[in-house]
Amino acid sequence: MTDDAFLLRPVGRVASPLTDPADAPRQGDEGAPEAYLDFTPEVATALRDLRVGAEVLVLTWLDRARRDVLAVHPRGDASRPETGVFSTRSPHRPNPIGLHRVRVLAVDGLRVRVADLEALDGTPVLDVKPVLGPPDER
Amino acid sequence: MTDDAFLLRPVGRVASPLTDPADAPRQGDEGAPEAYLDFTPEVATALRDLRVGAEVLVLTWLDRARRDVLAVHPRGDASRPETGVFSTRSPHRPNPIGLHRVRVLAVDGLRVRVADLEALDGTPVLDVKPVLGPPDER
C-alpha cells in the first residue's frame, strides 16, 4: 500500500433482518428483504432530497469482510478457479466497500426504507449517490 | 457521525493529463482522456485477472473534495436549487468516494490503461469491481 491513508466516518447504519453472512444473498435482486438505512443527524441536509421511488447507489463498509484476501473462488465455489478479487464482487478485498443499487420505498426523517439491499444488519453506510441512468455506474 | 471510523489504504493512483478540477469533465463519457491506474505491488494478485476490454468500476478517494459540504447547486449552476449531496454526484460529500465506470484498454504489470476516467492526476484508487451486467451497480 502507499503511505497515505484516509479516514471514513459512517453516515449511518443498515437495519436489516439479515444477520448471518451465510444467509445473505450475494446480490440485491436475489431475494434480499426490505431494510432500513438509519442516518446520523449530522447528515440530515445531505439526504433531504431523497425521494420515494428513487433508484440510488448505497456505499457501505463491509465490516465483516477480510482485507488480506486477494483472490477467491467466485461465489465460494471451490470448483471454480481462484480469481483476483478486483475481478469479483467478493466482500473480501483490500478496501471492503460495498456497492448496492436499491430503490427508496419510504423516507421518515433520518430513516430510509429501501428494497433489495443485501447488506447485513449493522453494516456502516458511507455514502448515497443517485443512479445516473444508462450508462449507469459512471 | 458515529464513533466508529475506518481506515482506507490506497491500492494505487490515477495517472492522467487531467490536473485542474476546472478542466475535468463531470462524467467519464463527457470527454475524459485515456488514463492509467498504477497499482501498488501488494495488490498484484488482486488485479491479475483484469482483461483488456473488461468494463469495470473504479472506486477512488476524491482527495481534493470537501467533506463539510452537505448541499450543492447541481453541476455548479447557481440557478439550480441547492440539493442534498446524497441526491447529486458532487465530489463534495462526507465520504468523498468516486465511482467511475471505465473500460480496460491495456494491462502491463501493475499499470492498467483505461478509457473514460474523469479522475484527476494523482487521485488515490481504492478498489476495482466488475460490472455485473444489467441491472448494473448491484
PDB file of all heavy atoms in Angstrom, chain B residues 92-122:
ATOM      1  N   HIS B  92     -18.064  16.678  -3.559  1.00  0.00           N
ATOM      2  CA  HIS B  92     -18.073  17.171  -2.181  1.00  0.00           C
ATOM      3  C   HIS B  92     -19.159  16.443  -1.405  1.00  0.00           C
ATOM      4  O   HIS B  92     -20.348  16.555  -1.720  1.00  0.00           O
ATOM      5  CB  HIS B  92     -18.312  18.675  -2.165  1.00  0.00           C
ATOM      6  CG  HIS B  92     -17.379  19.417  -3.074  1.00  0.00           C
ATOM      7  ND1 HIS B  92     -16.006  19.394  -2.904  1.00  0.00           N
ATOM      8  CD2 HIS B  92     -17.604  20.155  -4.189  1.00  0.00           C
ATOM      9  CE1 HIS B  92     -15.439  20.113  -3.851  1.00  0.00           C
ATOM     10  NE2 HIS B  92     -16.380  20.583  -4.657  1.00  0.00           N
ATOM     11  N   ARG B  93     -18.776  15.698  -0.371  1.00  0.00           N
ATOM     12  CA  ARG B  93     -19.702  14.863   0.399  1.00  0.00           C
ATOM     13  C   ARG B  93     -18.949  14.330   1.604  1.00  0.00           C
ATOM     14  O   ARG B  93     -17.720  14.359   1.633  1.00  0.00           O
ATOM     15  CB  ARG B  93     -20.244  13.728  -0.462  1.00  0.00           C
ATOM     16  CG  ARG B  93     -19.196  12.940  -1.187  1.00  0.00           C
ATOM     17  CD  ARG B  93     -19.687  12.385  -2.556  1.00  0.00           C
ATOM     18  NE  ARG B  93     -20.927  11.705  -2.436  1.00  0.00           N
ATOM     19  CZ  ARG B  93     -22.044  12.043  -3.110  1.00  0.00           C
ATOM     20  NH1 ARG B  93     -22.023  13.005  -3.978  1.00  0.00           N
ATOM     21  NH2 ARG B  93     -23.174  11.381  -2.936  1.00  0.00           N
ATOM     22  N   PRO B  94     -19.643  13.805   2.605  1.00  0.00           N
ATOM     23  CA  PRO B  94     -18.951  13.421   3.842  1.00  0.00           C
ATOM     24  C   PRO B  94     -17.836  12.391   3.642  1.00  0.00           C
ATOM     25  O   PRO B  94     -16.769  12.498   4.257  1.00  0.00           O
ATOM     26  CB  PRO B  94     -20.083  12.870   4.709  1.00  0.00           C
ATOM     27  CG  PRO B  94     -21.301  13.627   4.259  1.00  0.00           C
ATOM     28  CD  PRO B  94     -21.124  13.779   2.773  1.00  0.00           C
ATOM     29  N   ASN B  95     -18.077  11.400   2.806  1.00  0.00           N
ATOM     30  CA  ASN B  95     -17.035  10.431   2.449  1.00  0.00           C
ATOM     31  C   ASN B  95     -16.854  10.506   0.931  1.00  0.00           C
ATOM     32  O   ASN B  95     -17.618   9.889   0.177  1.00  0.00           O
ATOM     33  CB  ASN B  95     -17.433   9.012   2.870  1.00  0.00           C
ATOM     34  CG  ASN B  95     -17.419   8.833   4.364  1.00  0.00           C
ATOM     35  OD1 ASN B  95     -16.405   9.054   5.020  1.00  0.00           O
ATOM     36  ND2 ASN B  95     -18.559   8.441   4.929  1.00  0.00           N
ATOM     37  N   PRO B  96     -15.867  11.273   0.475  1.00  0.00           N
ATOM     38  CA  PRO B  96     -15.756  11.560  -0.967  1.00  0.00           C
ATOM     39  C   PRO B  96     -15.155  10.396  -1.760  1.00  0.00           C
ATOM     40  O   PRO B  96     -14.010  10.442  -2.192  1.00  0.00           O
ATOM     41  CB  PRO B  96     -14.869  12.805  -1.005  1.00  0.00           C
ATOM     42  CG  PRO B  96     -14.029  12.711   0.229  1.00  0.00           C
ATOM     43  CD  PRO B  96     -14.895  12.045   1.272  1.00  0.00           C
ATOM     44  N   ILE B  97     -15.985   9.376  -1.925  1.00  0.00           N
ATOM     45  CA  ILE B  97     -15.592   8.208  -2.720  1.00  0.00           C
ATOM     46  C   ILE B  97     -16.104   8.413  -4.138  1.00  0.00           C
ATOM     47  O   ILE B  97     -17.292   8.651  -4.350  1.00  0.00           O
ATOM     48  CB  ILE B  97     -16.180   6.922  -2.117  1.00  0.00           C
ATOM     49  CG1 ILE B  97     -15.619   6.696  -0.713  1.00  0.00           C
ATOM     50  CG2 ILE B  97     -15.871   5.725  -3.023  1.00  0.00           C
ATOM     51  CD1 ILE B  97     -16.324   5.574   0.042  1.00  0.00           C
ATOM     52  N   GLY B  98     -15.198   8.347  -5.106  1.00  0.00           N
ATOM     53  CA  GLY B  98     -15.568   8.460  -6.510  1.00  0.00           C
ATOM     54  C   GLY B  98     -15.880   7.101  -7.099  1.00  0.00           C
ATOM     55  O   GLY B  98     -15.252   6.096  -6.746  1.00  0.00           O
ATOM     56  N   LEU B  99     -16.863   7.066  -7.994  1.00  0.00           N
ATOM     57  CA  LEU B  99     -17.290   5.819  -8.634  1.00  0.00           C
ATOM     58  C   LEU B  99     -17.256   6.059 -10.137  1.00  0.00           C
ATOM     59  O   LEU B  99     -17.977   6.913 -10.645  1.00  0.00           O
ATOM     60  CB  LEU B  99     -18.706   5.477  -8.167  1.00  0.00           C
ATOM     61  CG  LEU B  99     -19.352   4.241  -8.743  1.00  0.00           C
ATOM     62  CD1 LEU B  99     -18.571   2.986  -8.368  1.00  0.00           C
ATOM     63  CD2 LEU B  99     -20.791   4.120  -8.248  1.00  0.00           C
ATOM     64  N   HIS B 100     -16.418   5.305 -10.827  1.00  0.00           N
ATOM     65  CA  HIS B 100     -16.161   5.557 -12.244  1.00  0.00           C
ATOM     66  C   HIS B 100     -16.298   4.253 -13.021  1.00  0.00           C
ATOM     67  O   HIS B 100     -15.645   3.259 -12.693  1.00  0.00           O
ATOM     68  CB  HIS B 100     -14.726   6.061 -12.438  1.00  0.00           C
ATOM     69  CG  HIS B 100     -14.257   7.036 -11.407  1.00  0.00           C
ATOM     70  ND1 HIS B 100     -14.364   8.386 -11.551  1.00  0.00           N
ATOM     71  CD2 HIS B 100     -13.677   6.843 -10.181  1.00  0.00           C
ATOM     72  CE1 HIS B 100     -13.857   8.999 -10.487  1.00  0.00           C
ATOM     73  NE2 HIS B 100     -13.448   8.073  -9.633  1.00  0.00           N
ATOM     74  N   ARG B 101     -17.118   4.272 -14.040  1.00  0.00           N
ATOM     75  CA  ARG B 101     -17.210   3.103 -14.910  1.00  0.00           C
ATOM     76  C   ARG B 101     -16.253   3.307 -16.077  1.00  0.00           C
ATOM     77  O   ARG B 101     -16.374   4.295 -16.807  1.00  0.00           O
ATOM     78  CB  ARG B 101     -18.633   2.937 -15.422  1.00  0.00           C
ATOM     79  CG  ARG B 101     -18.766   1.699 -16.306  1.00  0.00           C
ATOM     80  CD  ARG B 101     -20.201   1.491 -16.758  1.00  0.00           C
ATOM     81  NE  ARG B 101     -20.265   0.366 -17.678  1.00  0.00           N
ATOM     82  CZ  ARG B 101     -21.317  -0.442 -17.805  1.00  0.00           C
ATOM     83  NH1 ARG B 101     -22.378  -0.241 -17.077  1.00  0.00           N
ATOM     84  NH2 ARG B 101     -21.281  -1.428 -18.648  1.00  0.00           N
ATOM     85  N   VAL B 102     -15.301   2.402 -16.235  1.00  0.00           N
ATOM     86  CA  VAL B 102     -14.279   2.549 -17.276  1.00  0.00           C
ATOM     87  C   VAL B 102     -14.095   1.225 -18.016  1.00  0.00           C
ATOM     88  O   VAL B 102     -14.504   0.162 -17.547  1.00  0.00           O
ATOM     89  CB  VAL B 102     -12.916   2.994 -16.690  1.00  0.00           C
ATOM     90  CG1 VAL B 102     -13.065   4.284 -15.886  1.00  0.00           C
ATOM     91  CG2 VAL B 102     -12.288   1.907 -15.848  1.00  0.00           C
ATOM     92  N   ARG B 103     -13.446   1.325 -19.174  1.00  0.00           N
ATOM     93  CA  ARG B 103     -13.108   0.145 -19.967  1.00  0.00           C
ATOM     94  C   ARG B 103     -11.597  -0.047 -19.927  1.00  0.00           C
ATOM     95  O   ARG B 103     -10.834   0.911 -20.050  1.00  0.00           O
ATOM     96  CB  ARG B 103     -13.587   0.336 -21.402  1.00  0.00           C
ATOM     97  CG  ARG B 103     -13.489  -0.880 -22.291  1.00  0.00           C
ATOM     98  CD  ARG B 103     -14.383  -0.726 -23.537  1.00  0.00           C
ATOM     99  NE  ARG B 103     -14.376   0.633 -24.027  1.00  0.00           N
ATOM    100  CZ  ARG B 103     -13.481   1.116 -24.907  1.00  0.00           C
ATOM    101  NH1 ARG B 103     -12.557   0.332 -25.395  1.00  0.00           N
ATOM    102  NH2 ARG B 103     -13.534   2.384 -25.289  1.00  0.00           N
ATOM    103  N   VAL B 104     -11.181  -1.302 -19.725  1.00  0.00           N
ATOM    104  CA  VAL B 104      -9.750  -1.618 -19.685  1.00  0.00           C
ATOM    105  C   VAL B 104      -9.218  -1.672 -21.113  1.00  0.00           C
ATOM    106  O   VAL B 104      -9.725  -2.432 -21.950  1.00  0.00           O
ATOM    107  CB  VAL B 104      -9.506  -2.959 -18.967  1.00  0.00           C
ATOM    108  CG1 VAL B 104      -8.030  -3.348 -19.051  1.00  0.00           C
ATOM    109  CG2 VAL B 104      -9.969  -2.877 -17.514  1.00  0.00           C
ATOM    110  N   LEU B 105      -8.201  -0.847 -21.396  1.00  0.00           N
ATOM    111  CA  LEU B 105      -7.607  -0.791 -22.740  1.00  0.00           C
ATOM    112  C   LEU B 105      -6.328  -1.604 -22.829  1.00  0.00           C
ATOM    113  O   LEU B 105      -5.980  -2.099 -23.912  1.00  0.00           O
ATOM    114  CB  LEU B 105      -7.302   0.659 -23.122  1.00  0.00           C
ATOM    115  CG  LEU B 105      -8.504   1.602 -23.204  1.00  0.00           C
ATOM    116  CD1 LEU B 105      -8.029   3.022 -23.506  1.00  0.00           C
ATOM    117  CD2 LEU B 105      -9.475   1.129 -24.288  1.00  0.00           C
ATOM    118  N   ALA B 106      -5.599  -1.710 -21.739  1.00  0.00           N
ATOM    119  CA  ALA B 106      -4.318  -2.440 -21.752  1.00  0.00           C
ATOM    120  C   ALA B 106      -3.936  -2.739 -20.316  1.00  0.00           C
ATOM    121  O   ALA B 106      -4.266  -1.982 -19.395  1.00  0.00           O
ATOM    122  CB  ALA B 106      -3.229  -1.595 -22.419  1.00  0.00           C
ATOM    123  N   VAL B 107      -3.240  -3.864 -20.158  1.00  0.00           N
ATOM    124  CA  VAL B 107      -2.715  -4.238 -18.847  1.00  0.00           C
ATOM    125  C   VAL B 107      -1.236  -4.538 -19.016  1.00  0.00           C
ATOM    126  O   VAL B 107      -0.857  -5.371 -19.857  1.00  0.00           O
ATOM    127  CB  VAL B 107      -3.442  -5.480 -18.276  1.00  0.00           C
ATOM    128  CG1 VAL B 107      -2.859  -5.851 -16.911  1.00  0.00           C
ATOM    129  CG2 VAL B 107      -4.941  -5.240 -18.174  1.00  0.00           C
ATOM    130  N   ASP B 108      -0.399  -3.848 -18.263  1.00  0.00           N
ATOM    131  CA  ASP B 108       1.050  -4.049 -18.343  1.00  0.00           C
ATOM    132  C   ASP B 108       1.571  -4.106 -16.912  1.00  0.00           C
ATOM    133  O   ASP B 108       1.921  -3.088 -16.325  1.00  0.00           O
ATOM    134  CB  ASP B 108       1.678  -2.885 -19.128  1.00  0.00           C
ATOM    135  CG  ASP B 108       3.195  -3.030 -19.244  1.00  0.00           C
ATOM    136  OD1 ASP B 108       3.718  -4.116 -18.913  1.00  0.00           O
ATOM    137  OD2 ASP B 108       3.847  -2.048 -19.644  1.00  0.00           O
ATOM    138  N   GLY B 109       1.589  -5.308 -16.352  1.00  0.00           N
ATOM    139  CA  GLY B 109       2.032  -5.464 -14.971  1.00  0.00           C
ATOM    140  C   GLY B 109       1.105  -4.716 -14.037  1.00  0.00           C
ATOM    141  O   GLY B 109      -0.104  -4.955 -14.025  1.00  0.00           O
ATOM    142  N   LEU B 110       1.656  -3.782 -13.292  1.00  0.00           N
ATOM    143  CA  LEU B 110       0.867  -3.025 -12.307  1.00  0.00           C
ATOM    144  C   LEU B 110       0.209  -1.797 -12.910  1.00  0.00           C
ATOM    145  O   LEU B 110      -0.486  -1.055 -12.200  1.00  0.00           O
ATOM    146  CB  LEU B 110       1.768  -2.596 -11.146  1.00  0.00           C
ATOM    147  CG  LEU B 110       2.368  -3.724 -10.309  1.00  0.00           C
ATOM    148  CD1 LEU B 110       3.417  -3.169  -9.350  1.00  0.00           C
ATOM    149  CD2 LEU B 110       1.280  -4.475  -9.537  1.00  0.00           C
ATOM    150  N   ARG B 111       0.415  -1.570 -14.206  1.00  0.00           N
ATOM    151  CA  ARG B 111      -0.160  -0.379 -14.868  1.00  0.00           C
ATOM    152  C   ARG B 111      -1.304  -0.809 -15.775  1.00  0.00           C
ATOM    153  O   ARG B 111      -1.132  -1.681 -16.642  1.00  0.00           O
ATOM    154  CB  ARG B 111       0.946   0.331 -15.649  1.00  0.00           C
ATOM    155  CG  ARG B 111       0.454   1.398 -16.608  1.00  0.00           C
ATOM    156  CD  ARG B 111       1.529   2.413 -16.970  1.00  0.00           C
ATOM    157  NE  ARG B 111       1.429   3.576 -16.096  1.00  0.00           N
ATOM    158  CZ  ARG B 111       1.788   4.825 -16.449  1.00  0.00           C
ATOM    159  NH1 ARG B 111       2.293   5.066 -17.650  1.00  0.00           N
ATOM    160  NH2 ARG B 111       1.643   5.832 -15.612  1.00  0.00           N
ATOM    161  N   VAL B 112      -2.462  -0.214 -15.587  1.00  0.00           N
ATOM    162  CA  VAL B 112      -3.656  -0.549 -16.368  1.00  0.00           C
ATOM    163  C   VAL B 112      -4.118   0.723 -17.077  1.00  0.00           C
ATOM    164  O   VAL B 112      -4.376   1.746 -16.427  1.00  0.00           O
ATOM    165  CB  VAL B 112      -4.774  -1.093 -15.449  1.00  0.00           C
ATOM    166  CG1 VAL B 112      -6.056  -1.355 -16.240  1.00  0.00           C
ATOM    167  CG2 VAL B 112      -4.310  -2.381 -14.760  1.00  0.00           C
ATOM    168  N   ARG B 113      -4.215   0.654 -18.404  1.00  0.00           N
ATOM    169  CA  ARG B 113      -4.685   1.808 -19.162  1.00  0.00           C
ATOM    170  C   ARG B 113      -6.187   1.696 -19.330  1.00  0.00           C
ATOM    171  O   ARG B 113      -6.700   0.610 -19.643  1.00  0.00           O
ATOM    172  CB  ARG B 113      -3.999   1.873 -20.534  1.00  0.00           C
ATOM    173  CG  ARG B 113      -4.328   3.141 -21.316  1.00  0.00           C
ATOM    174  CD  ARG B 113      -3.241   3.445 -22.357  1.00  0.00           C
ATOM    175  NE  ARG B 113      -3.110   2.393 -23.346  1.00  0.00           N
ATOM    176  CZ  ARG B 113      -3.738   2.363 -24.523  1.00  0.00           C
ATOM    177  NH1 ARG B 113      -4.570   3.350 -24.853  1.00  0.00           N
ATOM    178  NH2 ARG B 113      -3.538   1.380 -25.359  1.00  0.00           N
ATOM    179  N   VAL B 114      -6.906   2.791 -19.084  1.00  0.00           N
ATOM    180  CA  VAL B 114      -8.371   2.761 -19.132  1.00  0.00           C
ATOM    181  C   VAL B 114      -8.906   3.932 -19.945  1.00  0.00           C
ATOM    182  O   VAL B 114      -8.266   4.989 -20.043  1.00  0.00           O
ATOM    183  CB  VAL B 114      -8.995   2.801 -17.715  1.00  0.00           C
ATOM    184  CG1 VAL B 114      -8.583   1.572 -16.909  1.00  0.00           C
ATOM    185  CG2 VAL B 114      -8.636   4.074 -16.974  1.00  0.00           C
ATOM    186  N   ALA B 115     -10.094   3.746 -20.501  1.00  0.00           N
ATOM    187  CA  ALA B 115     -10.807   4.812 -21.203  1.00  0.00           C
ATOM    188  C   ALA B 115     -11.859   5.405 -20.268  1.00  0.00           C
ATOM    189  O   ALA B 115     -12.380   4.721 -19.390  1.00  0.00           O
ATOM    190  CB  ALA B 115     -11.483   4.251 -22.448  1.00  0.00           C
ATOM    191  N   ASP B 116     -12.147   6.706 -20.503  1.00  0.00           N
ATOM    192  CA  ASP B 116     -13.323   7.327 -19.872  1.00  0.00           C
ATOM    193  C   ASP B 116     -13.199   7.492 -18.369  1.00  0.00           C
ATOM    194  O   ASP B 116     -14.187   7.359 -17.640  1.00  0.00           O
ATOM    195  CB  ASP B 116     -14.599   6.520 -20.184  1.00  0.00           C
ATOM    196  CG  ASP B 116     -14.834   6.404 -21.677  1.00  0.00           C
ATOM    197  OD1 ASP B 116     -14.489   7.346 -22.404  1.00  0.00           O
ATOM    198  OD2 ASP B 116     -15.340   5.358 -22.111  1.00  0.00           O
ATOM    199  N   LEU B 117     -11.998   7.815 -17.893  1.00  0.00           N
ATOM    200  CA  LEU B 117     -11.836   8.061 -16.453  1.00  0.00           C
ATOM    201  C   LEU B 117     -11.681   9.559 -16.227  1.00  0.00           C
ATOM    202  O   LEU B 117     -10.725  10.173 -16.701  1.00  0.00           O
ATOM    203  CB  LEU B 117     -10.612   7.318 -15.915  1.00  0.00           C
ATOM    204  CG  LEU B 117     -10.341   7.539 -14.418  1.00  0.00           C
ATOM    205  CD1 LEU B 117     -11.503   7.027 -13.580  1.00  0.00           C
ATOM    206  CD2 LEU B 117      -9.049   6.870 -13.999  1.00  0.00           C
ATOM    207  N   GLU B 118     -12.627  10.137 -15.497  1.00  0.00           N
ATOM    208  CA  GLU B 118     -12.630  11.589 -15.317  1.00  0.00           C
ATOM    209  C   GLU B 118     -11.859  12.037 -14.074  1.00  0.00           C
ATOM    210  O   GLU B 118     -11.936  13.197 -13.693  1.00  0.00           O
ATOM    211  CB  GLU B 118     -14.064  12.118 -15.254  1.00  0.00           C
ATOM    212  CG  GLU B 118     -14.761  11.920 -13.934  1.00  0.00           C
ATOM    213  CD  GLU B 118     -15.381  10.555 -13.775  1.00  0.00           C
ATOM    214  OE1 GLU B 118     -14.897   9.566 -14.406  1.00  0.00           O
ATOM    215  OE2 GLU B 118     -16.341  10.443 -13.009  1.00  0.00           O
ATOM    216  N   ALA B 119     -11.127  11.123 -13.422  1.00  0.00           N
ATOM    217  CA  ALA B 119     -10.443  11.485 -12.172  1.00  0.00           C
ATOM    218  C   ALA B 119      -9.166  12.291 -12.450  1.00  0.00           C
ATOM    219  O   ALA B 119      -8.512  12.133 -13.481  1.00  0.00           O
ATOM    220  CB  ALA B 119     -10.103  10.228 -11.397  1.00  0.00           C
ATOM    221  N   LEU B 120      -8.813  13.136 -11.497  1.00  0.00           N
ATOM    222  CA  LEU B 120      -7.615  13.973 -11.622  1.00  0.00           C
ATOM    223  C   LEU B 120      -6.349  13.154 -11.395  1.00  0.00           C
ATOM    224  O   LEU B 120      -6.353  12.161 -10.668  1.00  0.00           O
ATOM    225  CB  LEU B 120      -7.672  15.102 -10.585  1.00  0.00           C
ATOM    226  CG  LEU B 120      -8.800  16.111 -10.766  1.00  0.00           C
ATOM    227  CD1 LEU B 120      -8.827  17.071  -9.577  1.00  0.00           C
ATOM    228  CD2 LEU B 120      -8.638  16.873 -12.080  1.00  0.00           C
ATOM    229  N   ASP B 121      -5.275  13.637 -11.998  1.00  0.00           N
ATOM    230  CA  ASP B 121      -3.959  13.012 -11.822  1.00  0.00           C
ATOM    231  C   ASP B 121      -3.620  12.904 -10.339  1.00  0.00           C
ATOM    232  O   ASP B 121      -3.778  13.869  -9.584  1.00  0.00           O
ATOM    233  CB  ASP B 121      -2.902  13.863 -12.530  1.00  0.00           C
ATOM    234  CG  ASP B 121      -1.540  13.214 -12.524  1.00  0.00           C
ATOM    235  OD1 ASP B 121      -1.410  12.091 -13.035  1.00  0.00           O
ATOM    236  OD2 ASP B 121      -0.598  13.831 -11.999  1.00  0.00           O
ATOM    237  N   GLY B 122      -3.157  11.740  -9.912  1.00  0.00           N
ATOM    238  CA  GLY B 122      -2.763  11.536  -8.524  1.00  0.00           C
ATOM    239  C   GLY B 122      -3.865  11.045  -7.613  1.00  0.00           C
ATOM    240  O   GLY B 122      -3.595  10.729  -6.444  1.00  0.00           O
TER     241      GLY B 122
END
